[in-house]
Amino acid sequence: MNHTVYNFGAGPAMLPHAVLEQVQAELLDWHGRGISVMEMSHRGADYMRIVAEAEQDLRDLLQIPGNYKVLFLQGGATLQFAMVPMNLLRGHTRASYVQTGVWSEKAIAEAGRFATVEVAASNTDRQARVVPRQSEWRVSADTAYVHITGNETIGGLEFDFVPELGGIPLVSDASSHILSKPMDVSRFGLIYAGAQKNIGPAGLTLVIVREDLVGHAPAGTATMLDYAVHAQEGSMHNTPPTFAIYVAGLVFKWLNGLGGLDKIAEINARKAACLYAGIDDSGGFYTNAIEHRNRSRMNVPFTLHDAALDKAFLSAADTQGFLQLKGHRLLGGMRASIYNAMPEAGVRALVEFMRDFARRWG
Amino acid sequence: MNHTVYNFGAGPAMLPHAVLEQVQAELLDWHGRGISVMEMSHRGADYMRIVAEAEQDLRDLLQIPGNYKVLFLQGGATLQFAMVPMNLLRGHTRASYVQTGVWSEKAIAEAGRFATVEVAASNTDRQARVVPRQSEWRVSADTAYVHITGNETIGGLEFDFVPELGGIPLVSDASSHILSKPMDVSRFGLIYAGAQKNIGPAGLTLVIVREDLVGHAPAGTATMLDYAVHAQEGSMHNTPPTFAIYVAGLVFKWLNGLGGLDKIAEINARKAACLYAGIDDSGGFYTNAIEHRNRSRMNVPFTLHDAALDKAFLSAADTQGFLQLKGHRLLGGMRASIYNAMPEAGVRALVEFMRDFARRWG
């Protein structure tokens, strides 16, 4: 890879360069077996070891307690929007959701097909710029679970606290910030994440679920949508996305090698601080309107003071190797996603580019 | 790859060597963009072109009529076992299935969660050695569709005819023989296939469906299980398995470059003839009991006359680079899967090895 190229895409996103190099090196011949990982039986000894190591490395990283199952599934967070209510109602009719942006709204819409959705709190009265504090939430005692979107990829909004719900299970869509910092898994009932931001290639979905929440899907549920089936069969009810799991396993090893989640959290904090400072110190040329305590460390949307400059900004950025900075079509403006794989040098270079651009066009 | 290694695994299976070489060559830097295909936004111009080309190349190969949608999905054939009845009942309550082996039985079991299943024909009275001729089938006039398993990967049984059903849609699980020969798509209502045999890496599922059969999922169906959603959004309702689709696209180009499905069908016929001859001419040392007209051209199960030799056979095969010949755990014995990517030389070498082994141990 040309190291003057930095990819700020929101997902599928940049992968660690060292991981891609290893994937490339062993693509035709994995560990002298003469075949590619893509060509291995998912039930063969070599591949079973790859999966077992991936799970163990993930358990080490997140310090996942023994009473939690790790599932490697397909269908993305979007399929989880359905699987969560299908599996977790446990006789309840009501499920509670905290509305913080586009992705929580998608989760709410899908849950409405299976449950009576109670919006426990919303930020729509505050232009989606803040995560409502728990003191504002209204959660019915008979709700099946409370669902949050730990990080809103589009809005650039991240939870700065883990809610305390007594006995009610907490569910989080952690797609865009999982593995970016330590996480106390024991405070969640279920965590899910599409792989294509901080885990690995698209086509893999990670679910971490407390054992007692598994096994409650109603009779007649499609087999593939029942967590119990996947838990019982070690994510091998049918052929899993073998190559994506293998790459994810290498990412987990890369993170462990780096020093684990404490270490990556430090790096991510520095990256985010650097980029937000670049925005805030631009004299209004760039703006990010998110409440400071909820600014996402992963997805940094910003606007230029004059939208007529957007095209010139994107064109100059692209020419200089800063890729995929265009904001989501729903919000416009710019967005820099700075997941784990984005090196600090990439963020520093971007901020320097932004400063130059502002000087030239300000 | 060491070319003395031949991988006879049933799936995930061997991929064309030329395809893997191209994947490796452009893994870190696709066409000079400085990023991997795995790192591309699925909505970016480059990736949209990759998907559009993959679809067009597939349409060319199978000569898919314009009134058929091509969907790139996730979840494998196993999820299709549920999606087919969920989407295709169209107000009917009954669906008909032809029982020919393990995979059709799985499809039947799952369909029973959503429909009244009528087994139109079965081969269980004939040790699963033959596909029942259509004259034996009993199909109710009010059935929603008739489902067949075009090729039974475990039993090694393949349809030698396309049933004629008047107006009743024909559905085929073509996972293990799609793209191995020309197929008149217009005679099917829906064709589905897991990718990991003849298409590409595991984690991608192909669905080819006639337009008028799309849009009939009942209200309340999970969004991700509704064909209409995927058809309307060009398989981009959410992030698709981008890398798997890219590899599949290279496989389609490889097939077109080879001369298309007529050409690969010739090669596959020669490979199967060579292997079955090796079995039949072994004087009873090796046996395959499938009715000749239904012998699979893709999956060739066989037994040794003395099961006590199985271990020695597998060990010698492995040493000499003939991998994954162990039969499915449900049947025991051996199985050689000889999909499109298996070169003729591999089959010839296997037959020679089998002859040697029989001479030594016979």
Side-chain angles (χ1 to χ4, degrees):
Chain A
M1 189 176 92
N2 181 343
H3 265 294
T4 60
V5 167
Y6 292 111
N7 177 2
F8 293 91
M14 196 171 173
L15 285 162
H17 194 67
V19 166
L20 287 177
E21 282 182 326
Q22 186 172 347
V23 170
Q24 184 181 47
E26 56 198 30
L27 195 93
L28 293 181
D29 182 5
W30 184 86
H31 295 201
R33 295 298 191 279
I35 65 174
S36 175
V37 171
M38 282 184 251
E39 302 174 303
M40 284 182 185
S41 167
H42 55 299
R43 305 203 190 272
D46 284 333
Y47 190 74
M48 294 295 281
R49 199 160 47 243
I50 287 174
V51 174
E53 273 185 34
E55 177 174 340
Q56 191 54 55
D57 287 337
L58 179 70
R59 285 186 176 275
D60 292 347
L61 278 170
L62 280 167
Q63 296 175 35
I64 300 174
N67 63 326
Y68 282 73
K69 295 285 188 186
V70 171
L71 310 179
F72 295 114
L73 305 182
Q74 300 183 54
T78 304
L79 186 55
Q80 293 309 307
F81 295 166
M83 284 178 71
V84 165
M86 287 171 98
N87 282 270
L88 294 198
L89 283 179
R90 306 171 347 272
H92 300 259
T93 55
R94 194 192 298 264
S96 302
Y97 281 71
V98 178
Q99 185 175 12
T100 47
V102 174
W103 286 102
S104 55
E105 283 151 27
K106 287 179 192 257
I108 288 168
E110 186 72 8
R113 297 177 177 230
F114 309 98
T116 302
V117 172
E118 167 182 83
V119 175
S122 168
N123 64 9
T124 51
D125 57 339
R126 281 155 288 178
Q127 294 86 45
R129 288 177 180 167
V130 59
V131 173
R133 289 188 199 276
Q134 203 186 336
S135 54
E136 295 180 31
W137 298 13
R138 298 182 57 168
V139 175
S140 298
D142 66 341
T143 200
Y145 58 86
V146 176
H147 178 284
I148 63 171
T149 306
N151 183 70
E152 289 278 1
T153 320
I154 294 174
L157 198 70
E158 188 172 7
F159 268 73
D160 58 328
F161 63 94
V162 178
E164 191 47 71
L165 298 166
I168 303 172
L170 175 63
V171 175
S172 181
D173 175 356
S175 295
S176 51
H177 73 160
I178 195 165
L179 300 180
S180 69
K181 61 175 181 182
M183 196 173 186
D184 183 353
V185 173
S186 72
R187 298 182 65 184
F188 295 82
L190 188 148
I191 296 163
Y192 64 90
Q196 64 271 15
K197 288 120 173 17
N198 261 340
I199 296 173
L204 169 65
T205 315
L206 181 68
V207 171
I208 302 168
V209 57
R210 214 174 61 209
E211 277 172 355
D212 62 286
L213 296 175
V214 171
H216 304 285
T221 301
T223 303
M224 286 290 288
L225 303 194
D226 184 348
Y227 292 133
V229 170
H230 298 292
Q232 279 154 21
E233 305 199 33
S235 304
M236 295 271 180
H237 174 65
N238 70 337
T239 313
T242 51
F243 185 74
I245 295 173
Y246 150 76
V247 178
L250 296 181
V251 170
F252 302 154
K253 282 192 194 302
W254 172 78
L255 274 171
N256 274 315
L258 215 70
L261 299 189
D262 284 322
K263 184 69 186 173
I264 197 79
E266 278 175 35
I267 298 170
N268 285 331
R270 283 200 299 269
K271 280 152 55 182
C274 172
L275 182 47
Y276 283 112
I279 292 166
D280 294 340
D281 299 347
S282 69
F285 192 90
Y286 304 108
T287 312
N288 169 288
I290 302 299
E291 180 92 1
H292 283 220
R293 69 177 172 91
N294 294 128
R295 281 177 157 184
S296 170
R297 299 160 307 115
M298 296 287 109
N299 310 100
V300 182
F302 58 92
T303 50
L304 275 63
H305 75 101
D306 179 359
L309 295 175
D310 285 5
K311 228 173 141 179
F313 181 89
L314 286 169
S315 160
D318 208 67
T319 304
Q320 294 183 46
F322 302 105
L323 307 184
Q324 304 205 64
L325 281 167
K326 193 174 181 181
H328 190 277
R329 57 198 147 91
L330 292 176
L331 286 193
M334 307 297 151
R335 176 176 49 170
S337 294
I338 50 174
Y339 299 118
N340 287 349
M342 174 60 65
E344 289 191 74
V347 176
R348 282 196 301 263
L350 173 64
V351 169
E352 201 176 311
F353 162 79
M354 287 167 65
R355 219 173 271 146
D356 275 357
F357 185 87
R359 242 193 315 264
R360 228 175 325 143
W361 296 82
Chain B
M1 188 175 91
N2 181 341
H3 265 294
T4 60
V5 167
Y6 293 111
N7 177 1
F8 294 90
M14 196 171 172
L15 285 163
H17 193 67
V19 166
L20 287 177
E21 283 181 327
Q22 185 171 348
V23 170
Q24 183 180 48
E26 56 197 32
L27 196 92
L28 295 180
D29 182 4
W30 185 86
H31 295 200
R33 295 298 191 278
I35 65 174
S36 175
V37 171
M38 282 184 252
E39 302 174 302
M40 284 182 185
S41 167
H42 55 298
R43 304 201 192 273
D46 283 334
Y47 190 74
M48 292 296 279
R49 199 160 48 241
I50 287 174
V51 174
E53 273 186 34
E55 177 173 339
Q56 190 55 55
D57 287 337
L58 179 70
R59 285 185 176 275
D60 291 348
L61 278 169
L62 281 167
Q63 296 175 35
I64 300 175
N67 63 325
Y68 282 72
K69 295 284 188 187
V70 170
L71 310 178
F72 295 114
L73 305 181
Q74 299 183 55
T78 304
L79 186 54
Q80 293 309 308
F81 295 166
M83 283 178 71
V84 165
M86 289 171 97
N87 283 269
L88 295 198
L89 284 180
R90 305 170 350 272
H92 300 259
T93 55
R94 194 192 298 265
S96 302
Y97 282 70
V98 178
Q99 185 175 13
T100 47
V102 174
W103 287 101
S104 54
E105 282 150 27
K106 286 179 192 258
I108 288 168
E110 186 72 10
R113 297 177 177 229
F114 309 99
T116 303
V117 172
E118 167 182 82
V119 176
S122 167
N123 64 8
T124 51
D125 57 340
R126 282 155 287 179
Q127 294 84 45
R129 288 178 181 167
V130 59
V131 173
R133 290 188 197 276
Q134 205 187 335
S135 54
E136 294 180 32
W137 299 13
R138 298 182 56 168
V139 175
S140 297
D142 66 340
T143 199
Y145 58 86
V146 176
H147 178 283
I148 64 171
T149 306
N151 183 71
E152 288 279 1
T153 319
I154 295 174
L157 198 71
E158 188 172 7
F159 268 71
D160 58 327
F161 62 94
V162 178
E164 192 47 71
L165 299 165
I168 303 172
L170 175 64
V171 175
S172 180
D173 176 356
S175 294
S176 52
H177 74 161
I178 195 167
L179 299 180
S180 70
K181 61 175 182 181
M183 197 172 186
D184 183 354
V185 173
S186 72
R187 297 182 65 185
F188 296 82
L190 187 148
I191 296 162
Y192 64 90
Q196 64 271 16
K197 288 120 173 14
N198 261 340
I199 296 174
L204 169 65
T205 314
L206 181 68
V207 171
I208 302 168
V209 56
R210 213 173 62 208
E211 278 172 355
D212 62 286
L213 296 175
V214 171
H216 305 285
T221 301
T223 303
M224 286 291 287
L225 303 194
D226 184 349
Y227 292 133
V229 171
H230 299 292
Q232 279 154 20
E233 306 199 32
S235 304
M236 295 270 180
H237 175 65
N238 70 338
T239 313
T242 51
F243 185 74
I245 295 173
Y246 150 76
V247 178
L250 296 182
V251 171
F252 302 155
K253 282 192 195 303
W254 172 78
L255 274 171
N256 274 314
L258 216 68
L261 299 188
D262 283 321
K263 184 69 185 172
I264 198 79
E266 278 173 35
I267 298 170
N268 285 330
R270 283 200 299 267
K271 280 152 54 184
C274 172
L275 181 48
Y276 283 112
I279 292 166
D280 294 340
D281 299 347
S282 69
F285 192 90
Y286 304 108
T287 312
N288 169 287
I290 303 299
E291 180 92 0
H292 283 221
R293 68 177 172 93
N294 294 128
R295 281 178 156 182
S296 169
R297 299 160 308 115
M298 296 287 108
N299 310 100
V300 182
F302 58 93
T303 50
L304 276 62
H305 75 102
D306 179 0
L309 295 176
D310 284 5
K311 226 173 142 180
F313 181 89
L314 286 168
S315 159
D318 207 67
T319 304
Q320 293 183 47
F322 302 104
L323 306 184
Q324 305 205 65
L325 282 166
K326 193 173 179 181
H328 190 276
R329 58 197 147 91
L330 292 176
L331 286 193
M334 308 298 150
R335 176 176 48 172
S337 294
I338 51 174
Y339 299 117
N340 287 350
M342 173 60 64
E344 290 191 73
V347 176
R348 283 196 301 264
L350 173 64
V351 169
E352 202 176 310
F353 163 78
M354 287 167 65
R355 219 173 270 144
D356 276 358
F357 186 87
R359 243 194 312 265
R360 229 175 324 143
W361 296 83

